[in-house]
């Protein structure tokens, strides 16, 4: 081994004291775990990622794209079922089977607000258990095996939904199905962010949102096709469609490679190298698998030196406390920004006075436009920072919710159709900005060693907040409870405004940053609004002749923007 040199200059007065050194500045050094050759290889690989174009990345990593897309498609099932429930509340046959008679004169049945909350929150509660399971399993057996086990459970649990004789068993089925859905939520963004290079990260992580929208579109389409039936198949067909996805995904996933980052974290260097080879095209000029592996090892070692431990408790210590708060906050903005009205779109419109068949037709248009919006976000993120997109999207949602609330005072058929149109626009804005960018942000802003656990905590908080959101929405919309109708939008406009304020002050910009660069930025405690301009180099001691660089010095090097 060559003489050890520090990896980077970071503010860590406590570690300096522990090492027995004294310092009069806010910087100290971290011991280097690799020799000079490995460090040079890591830096070259990082530079290559910064310079890599999108077309070059697609040509080099087509297998990684395919495997990530396959794994992400597991979330089609969650998007399908959660949208399915909201749509089934507008189905007369479903209401007669699982609801109660609310109007003897007209013979109208409805599922009570309490049972609606039980159904929706049953799935959320199950997802929290699934997230905890995935957070434990993914670290021990890997993303691939965790997903395979969850798919097997999914196939079995759908039987409970399909054959449910009453609303109580239906709630049990939702809880059970929520367990594998929770696992999918944790594993897919972590895997997508680790198998792809820097330039592909936003596309593969935001494709997760596309899978959600695809599932929601299918839910609306299946309901549209079965709403006219008068027998039990009006709701059994929609439940049975959930068997379409797990089997083919499972058949393909058996052959998928594990994340090379997971292998490195478990000191399996040779397996990590083989995984990288399986994720990339053969004999590509300019690509060196050993250099890419060295970059992964360098980042992993850097994070080990910055903070020891990979437990849930470590997510709330030191700089990781801030990272956890940000990732949790990003997902809470999703629930508090009014997006719950999209899942209740058909039910929302029927409660406002629209015919169920027309509401399902508009719902299909809503989700089709959502897919267009998600695809559009890919082009936007290559040119505009994540923070700007996210903040603009939340502000636009606030404005649209105010408009929906205002239209509620129209009290005529035209105003109902106008509300439908504005909610479709809301869906486009959400899927163009907030929805897809969320998955990109949570994958980039959590540390690689704690990524799975940070996502578990954040998504668990998301599901817990959704329990509150679902209870509120069901009571706000249900004709058997508060019956607010479209005025519900005013309530969520208020929470959306609070979300926008949080985003402005707390959300940093990760665009164009490698994981090692983000680690240093967080370690230096750079303010969220300065992330985009702050200059940092995890190899700064080697590339600047051993000179320690403070944050003020790195900021003075502002020049060309980092390539995405």
């Amino acid at each position: 081994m060559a003489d050890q040199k520090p990896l980077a200059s970071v503010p860590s007065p406590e570690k300096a004291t522990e090492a027995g050194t004294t310092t009069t500045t806010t910087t100290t050094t971290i011991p280097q775990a690799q020799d000079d050759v490995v460090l040079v290889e890591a830096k070259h690989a990082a530079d290559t990622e910064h310079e890599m174009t999108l077309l070059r990345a697609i040509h080099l990593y087509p297998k990684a794209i395919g495997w990530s897309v396959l794994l992400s498609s597991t979330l089609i099932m969650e998007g399908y079922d959660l949208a399915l429930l909201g749509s089934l509340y507008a189905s007369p046959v479903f209401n007669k089977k699982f609801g109660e008679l609310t109007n003897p004169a007209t013979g109208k049945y409805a599922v009570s607000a309490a049972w609606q909350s039980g159904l929706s929150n049953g799935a959320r509660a199950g997802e929290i258990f699934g997230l905890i399971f995935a957070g434990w399993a993914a670290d021990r057996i890997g993303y691939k095996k965790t997903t395979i086990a969850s798919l097997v459970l999914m196939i079995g649990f759908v039987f409970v939904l399909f054959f449910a004789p009453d609303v109580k068993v239906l709630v049990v089925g939702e809880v059970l199905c929520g367990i594998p859905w929770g696992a999918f939520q944790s594993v897919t963004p972590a895997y997508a962010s680790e198998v792809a290079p820097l330039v592909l990260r936003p596309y593969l992580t935001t494709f997760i949102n596309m899978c959600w929208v695809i599932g929601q579109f299918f839910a609306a389409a299946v309901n549209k096709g079965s709403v006219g039936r008068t027998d039990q198949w009006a709701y059994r067909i929609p439940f049975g469609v959930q068997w379409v996805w797990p089997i083919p995904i499972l058949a393909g996933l058996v052959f998928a490679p594990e994340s090379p980052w997971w292998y490195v974290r478990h000191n399996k260097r040779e397996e990590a190298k083989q995984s990288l080879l399986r994720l990339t095209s053969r004999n590509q000029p300019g690509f060196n698998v050993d250099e890419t592996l060295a970059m992964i090892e360098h980042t992993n070692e850097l994070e080990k030196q910055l903070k020891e431990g990979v437990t849930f408790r470590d997510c709330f210590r030191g700089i990781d406390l801030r990272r956890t708060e940000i990732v949790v906050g990003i997902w809470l903005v999703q629930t508090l920004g009014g997006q719950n009205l999209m899942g209740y779109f058909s039910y929302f419109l029927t409660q406002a006075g629209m015919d169920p068949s027309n509401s399902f037709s508009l719902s299909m248009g809503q989700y089709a436009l959502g897919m267009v919006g998600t695809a559009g976000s890919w082009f936007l993120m290559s040119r505009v920072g994540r923070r700007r997109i996210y903040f603009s999207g939340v502000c636009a949602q606030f404005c649209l919710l105010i408009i929906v609330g205002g239209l509620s005072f129209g009290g005529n058929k035209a105003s109902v159709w106008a509300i439908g149109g504005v909610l479709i626009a809301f869906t486009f804005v959400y899927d163009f900005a907030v929805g897809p960018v969320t998955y990109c942000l949570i994958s980039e802003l959590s540390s690689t060693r704690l990524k799975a656990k940070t996502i578990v905590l954040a998504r668990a908080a998301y599901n817990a907040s959704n329990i509150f959101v679902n209870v509120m929405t069901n009571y706000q919309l249900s004709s058997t409870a508060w019956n607010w109708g479209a005025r519900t939008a005013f309530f969520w406009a208020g929470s959306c405004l609070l979300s926008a304020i949080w985003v402005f002050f707390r959300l940093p910009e990760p665009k164009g940053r490698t994981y090692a660069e983000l680690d240093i930025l967080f370690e230096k405690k750079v303010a969220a609004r300065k992330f985009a301009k702050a200059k940092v180099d995890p190899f700064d001691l080697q590339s600047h002749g051993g000179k320690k660089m403070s944050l003020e010095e790195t900021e003075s090097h502002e020049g060309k923007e980092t390539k995405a």
Side-chain angles (χ1 to χ4, degrees):
M1 289 287 289
D3 294 337
Q4 290 191 342
K5 298 181 181 178
L7 276 177
S9 176
V10 296
S12 183
E14 296 80 9
K15 290 182 181 178
T17 301
E18 293 171 359
T21 64
T22 59
T23 178
T24 58
T25 68
T26 57
T27 61
T28 187
T29 57
I30 297 172
Q32 178 182 340
Q34 302 97 349
D35 58 29
D36 290 342
V37 174
V38 172
L39 193 62
V40 169
E41 289 181 340
K43 177 169 173 51
H44 188 264
D47 292 339
T48 300
E49 282 212 4
H50 276 300
E51 297 168 0
M52 188 179 296
T53 64
L54 177 60
L55 289 179
R56 167 65 177 157
I58 293 173
H59 190 63
L60 180 59
Y61 285 88
K63 299 175 185 176
I65 295 172
W67 292 122
S68 177
V69 167
L70 178 67
L71 202 74
S72 298
S73 63
T74 55
L75 284 174
I76 292 177
M77 291 177 283
E78 186 193 10
Y80 176 89
D81 187 84
L82 295 180
L84 179 67
L85 270 179
S87 298
L88 283 176
Y89 296 148
S91 169
V93 179
F94 179 84
N95 284 321
K96 187 173 182 179
K97 172 66 176 179
F98 298 104
E100 55 191 30
L101 185 63
T102 58
N103 192 333
T106 60
K108 182 178 179 180
Y109 286 81
V111 178
S112 69
W115 279 113
Q116 286 183 20
S117 298
L119 287 167
S120 301
N121 294 334
R124 298 300 183 186
E127 287 173 359
I128 293 175
F129 287 113
L131 284 162
I132 295 172
F133 159 74
W136 173 85
D139 271 350
R140 287 162 176 76
I141 63 176
Y143 301 130
K144 172 184 172 179
K145 292 180 180 178
T146 300
T147 307
I148 289 175
S150 300
L151 285 168
V152 173
L153 291 176
M154 186 76 238
I155 294 171
F157 292 156
V158 171
F159 280 95
V160 181
L161 296 178
F162 189 80
F163 292 106
D166 53 44
V167 70
K168 297 177 183 178
V169 177
L170 198 61
V171 170
V172 173
E174 289 293 331
V175 173
L176 292 175
C177 287
I179 295 174
W181 290 335
F184 301 149
Q185 291 171 359
S186 169
V187 170
T188 49
Y191 185 85
S193 65
E194 291 186 3
V195 298
L198 180 63
V199 69
L200 284 178
R201 269 188 346 218
Y203 299 95
L204 294 184
T205 52
T206 56
F207 179 76
I208 296 171
N209 189 77
M210 176 72 84
C211 292
W212 263 70
V213 180
I214 291 172
Q216 292 169 332
F217 177 81
F218 279 131
V222 172
N223 269 320
K224 170 69 176 176
S226 59
V227 70
R229 299 186 67 98
T230 58
D231 56 11
Q232 62 180 342
W233 297 104
Y235 57 87
R236 280 197 169 177
I237 288 176
F239 284 136
V241 168
Q242 291 179 96
W243 279 309
V244 171
W245 289 280
I247 296 175
I249 294 174
L250 186 60
L253 199 59
V254 171
F255 303 100
E258 184 54 79
S259 163
W261 290 81
W262 185 87
Y263 282 127
V264 168
R265 289 193 291 270
H266 288 77
N267 301 315
K268 297 181 179 182
R269 193 178 194 279
E270 188 58 36
E271 289 90 339
K273 183 175 181 179
Q274 292 302 315
S275 177
L276 278 171
L277 291 173
R278 291 191 60 196
L279 291 167
T280 53
S281 300
R282 300 280 181 168
N283 303 318
Q284 290 295 308
F287 173 73
N288 187 314
V289 67
D290 291 313
E291 289 182 349
T292 303
L293 183 58
M295 180 183 67
I296 296 174
E297 291 176 320
H298 170 267
T299 302
N300 183 64
E301 187 64 27
L302 176 62
E303 292 190 356
K304 285 169 65 178
Q305 297 295 337
L306 290 175
K307 61 268 181 187
E308 295 294 337
V310 291
T311 66
F312 279 108
R313 184 178 297 177
D314 293 304
C315 294
F316 300 97
R317 291 175 172 171
I319 59 172
D320 280 311
L321 175 60
R322 180 188 176 191
R323 302 179 84 157
T324 301
E325 177 245 320
I326 292 171
V327 176
V328 169
I330 290 168
W331 248 327
L332 290 182
V333 169
Q334 276 201 335
T335 61
L336 299 176
Q339 63 92 14
N340 51 303
L341 296 182
M342 298 188 306
Y344 286 84
F345 185 83
S346 299
Y347 182 56
F348 186 91
L349 292 180
T350 55
Q351 292 302 98
M354 183 175 288
D355 176 79
S357 180
N358 288 332
S359 71
F360 286 135
S361 297
L362 279 182
S363 186
M364 290 176 63
Q366 172 201 23
Y367 296 128
L369 196 58
M371 285 188 277
V372 174
T374 302
S377 71
W378 297 338
F379 297 98
L380 189 63
M381 278 192 293
S382 64
R383 294 166 175 80
V384 184
R386 330 280 199 243
R387 170 186 162 90
R388 182 179 298 179
I389 298 171
Y390 199 81
F391 179 69
S392 300
V394 174
C395 291
Q397 287 181 187
F398 168 76
C399 295
L400 290 171
L401 288 169
I402 292 295
I403 294 173
V404 170
L407 288 170
S408 66
F409 297 103
N412 53 47
K413 190 174 182 179
S415 65
V416 174
W417 281 91
I419 288 171
V422 176
L423 284 178
I424 289 176
F426 182 96
T427 301
F428 177 79
V429 169
Y430 174 83
D431 288 315
F432 185 60
V434 177
V437 177
T438 292
Y439 289 95
C440 185
L441 286 170
I442 59 101
S443 301
E444 292 178 322
L445 294 176
S446 52
S447 70
T448 59
R449 288 175 61 78
L450 288 171
K451 187 184 297 290
K453 288 182 170 60
T454 304
I455 292 175
V456 164
L457 290 171
R459 193 68 187 188
Y462 168 88
N463 288 328
S465 68
N466 252 317
I467 293 175
F468 163 76
V469 168
N470 286 330
V471 170
M472 290 296 295
T473 305
N474 287 324
Y475 276 90
Q476 288 165 347
L477 296 180
S478 177
S479 58
T480 64
W482 303 342
N483 198 27
W484 286 4
R487 292 189 299 276
T488 299
F490 282 131
F491 179 90
W492 300 110
S495 60
C496 188
L497 178 60
L498 295 176
S499 300
I501 294 172
W502 178 87
V503 170
F504 181 78
F505 288 104
R506 298 297 294 166
L507 182 63
E509 176 55 71
K511 180 177 181 291
R513 301 290 192 182
T514 64
Y515 290 124
E517 290 170 345
L518 290 170
D519 290 335
I520 299 298
L521 285 169
F522 276 109
E523 183 71 16
K524 288 179 177 291
K525 300 180 181 178
V526 179
R529 286 171 287 172
K530 294 183 178 180
F531 255 60
K533 293 184 178 180
K535 298 297 178 180
V536 65
D537 182 357
F539 311 94
D540 58 357
L541 289 175
Q542 283 68 31
S543 59
H544 294 281
K547 175 187 175 184
K548 295 181 182 180
M549 298 184 68
S550 66
L551 177 60
E552 290 74 21
E553 289 176 304
T554 59
E555 287 181 336
S556 69
H557 285 255
E558 290 178 15
K560 296 185 296 181
E561 291 187 359
T562 304
K563 294 182 181 179

